[in-house]
């Protein structure tokens, strides 16, 4: 499902299994480039640690920086994740809810049942259902950048993206990401992932959209030792006055229409 707002939002959601309370990402001057073998080792550790995650509840903050309007907005909320099943029948279930800073009403909400992604559109009073396409025969189910953070093999990440170890310190590893293929470049033109060095799970993620807008996701607190109910990821019931709209089915790798709202943007991740 190639939809920058939806795909990258859910990507960070599923990547959010960091430590229960990671230290803040401090500023620092750029470090010298690291040798490729060191990055390969970090990527392998990242892959291994992400595969261990079966559940989490995370606190999230997102900063959206809009280049055209020269504005920055802040949203806060939470995410839940549950890995259901094993082997080829495994389902990645998630829930994301965000509110604008200082507001009580929900601004954005996404629920994935494992077969459909349901996105709430408050302005239109609609819950839109997007069927998650199955991979074509002989191809892995890794059709978007979200897969990098939830279990894409290190070798596949290397094939799809130009990955560079920007720097590291005693707390974090900073990886720069540039897409190699047109389909991925339609989602973002560059990104940076910050991994917690204790857990090798994501702490912060920044990306720049093709239109120049920027988004920074910050993941200050995650609990992986809490019970997450399976029913939280069931097909949602639209609120009174809303309607459920099933969107046209897309083939794997197909492009969805752009979001109705301006593409999000945000401050780049802090550098040590």
């Amino acid at each position: 499902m190639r939809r920058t707002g939806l795909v990258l939002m859910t990507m960070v959601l599923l990547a959010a299994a960091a430590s229960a309370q990671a230290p803040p990402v401090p500023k620092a001057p750029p470090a010298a480039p690291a040798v490729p073998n060191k990055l390969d080792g970090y990527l392998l550790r990242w892959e291994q640690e992400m595969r261990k995650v079966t559940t989490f509840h995370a606190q999230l903050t997102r900063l959206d920086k809009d280049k055209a309007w020269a504005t920055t907005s802040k949203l806060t909320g939470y995410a839940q994740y549950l890995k259901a099943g094993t082997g080829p029948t495994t389902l990645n279930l998630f829930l994301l809810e965000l509110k604008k800073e200082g507001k009580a009403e929900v601004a954005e909400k996404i629920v994935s049942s494992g077969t459909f992604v349901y996105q709430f559109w408050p302005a239109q009073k609609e819950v839109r259902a997007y069927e998650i396409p199955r991979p074509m025969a002989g191809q892995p189910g890794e059709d978007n950048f979200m897969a990098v953070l939830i279990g894409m093999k290190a070798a596949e990440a290397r094939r799809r993206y130009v990955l560079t170890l920007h720097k590291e310190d005693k707390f974090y590893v900073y990886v720069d990401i540039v897409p190699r293929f047109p389909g991925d470049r339609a989602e973002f033109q560059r990104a940076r992932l910050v991994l917690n060095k204790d857990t090798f799970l994501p702490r912060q993620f920044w990306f720049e959209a093709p239109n120049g807008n920027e988004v920074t996701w910050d993941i200050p607190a995650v609990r992986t030792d809490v019970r997450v109910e399976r029913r939280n990821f069931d097909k949602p019931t639209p609120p009174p006055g809303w309607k459920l709209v099933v969107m046209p089915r897309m083939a794997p790798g197909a492009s969805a229409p752009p979001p109705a709202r301006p593409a999000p943007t945000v401050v780049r991740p802090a550098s040590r």
Side-chain angles (χ1 to χ4, degrees):
M1 186 178 299
R2 293 193 179 282
R3 180 193 179 106
T4 301
L6 179 61
V7 170
L8 292 177
M9 205 182 311
T10 55
M11 169 199 63
V12 177
L13 164 76
L14 293 175
S19 60
Q21 183 64 52
V25 180
K27 295 183 178 180
V35 295
N37 285 342
K38 194 167 191 179
L39 176 57
D40 290 338
Y42 287 154
L43 293 175
L44 182 59
R45 175 78 184 278
W46 172 32
E47 173 190 334
Q48 293 170 340
E49 295 302 324
M50 283 307 305
R51 292 188 183 279
K52 296 177 185 178
V53 175
T54 59
T55 182
F56 71 70
H57 181 100
Q59 296 178 13
L60 302 174
T61 298
R62 194 184 81 205
L63 294 177
D64 295 348
K65 183 177 180 182
D66 191 292
K67 181 179 180 181
W69 295 96
T71 59
T72 299
S73 61
K74 181 178 180 180
L75 296 94
T76 60
Y78 72 94
Q80 291 184 342
Y81 169 74
L82 176 66
K83 182 182 290 185
T86 58
T89 61
T90 299
L91 295 177
N92 290 304
L93 311 177
F94 61 88
L95 167 67
L96 171 69
E97 185 173 297
L98 296 173
K99 299 178 180 180
K100 291 184 178 180
E101 190 173 33
K103 301 292 184 179
E105 63 272 15
V106 175
E108 297 183 18
K109 184 174 181 178
I110 292 176
V111 179
S112 173
S113 66
T115 53
F116 276 85
V117 172
Y118 300 92
Q119 185 176 22
F120 286 63
W121 293 70
Q124 291 78 15
K125 293 188 175 181
E126 293 180 350
V127 178
R128 298 182 183 178
Y130 301 84
E131 185 174 4
I132 300 174
R134 294 180 178 275
M136 292 181 287
Q139 292 187 358
E142 298 173 337
D143 63 341
N144 57 51
F145 185 55
M146 180 171 66
V148 173
L149 299 177
I150 63 170
M152 179 181 284
K153 292 180 173 58
E156 176 66 4
R158 279 287 201 185
R159 185 188 71 83
R160 292 273 296 275
Y161 308 101
V162 177
L163 303 175
T164 305
L165 182 57
H166 175 73
K167 66 174 184 176
E168 63 178 301
D169 53 41
K170 70 176 185 177
F171 296 116
Y172 301 104
V173 174
Y174 301 73
V175 182
D176 288 342
I177 306 167
V178 177
R180 295 181 186 274
F181 303 108
D184 293 318
R185 289 198 293 268
E187 290 183 358
F188 73 104
Q189 58 184 6
R190 59 192 178 119
R192 177 171 296 165
L193 175 66
V194 180
L195 298 172
N196 188 306
K197 216 167 187 180
D198 291 332
T199 62
F200 273 85
L201 299 175
R203 171 61 174 83
Q204 192 178 79
F205 177 72
W206 167 88
F207 75 89
E208 184 177 39
N211 62 1
N213 291 346
E214 299 177 23
V215 176
T216 299
W217 288 87
D218 198 41
I219 311 166
V222 176
R223 293 286 303 277
T224 58
D225 58 349
V226 295
R227 179 182 176 85
V228 177
E229 297 292 340
R230 175 67 174 79
R231 64 175 179 269
N232 293 353
F233 312 99
D234 290 344
K235 175 183 175 181
T237 300
W242 288 46
K243 62 181 178 180
L244 177 66
V245 180
V246 179
M247 305 303 289
R249 185 175 181 178
M250 296 178 295
S255 296
R261 62 182 179 83
T265 54
V266 167
V267 179
R268 299 181 185 181
S271 299
R272 268 178 89 85

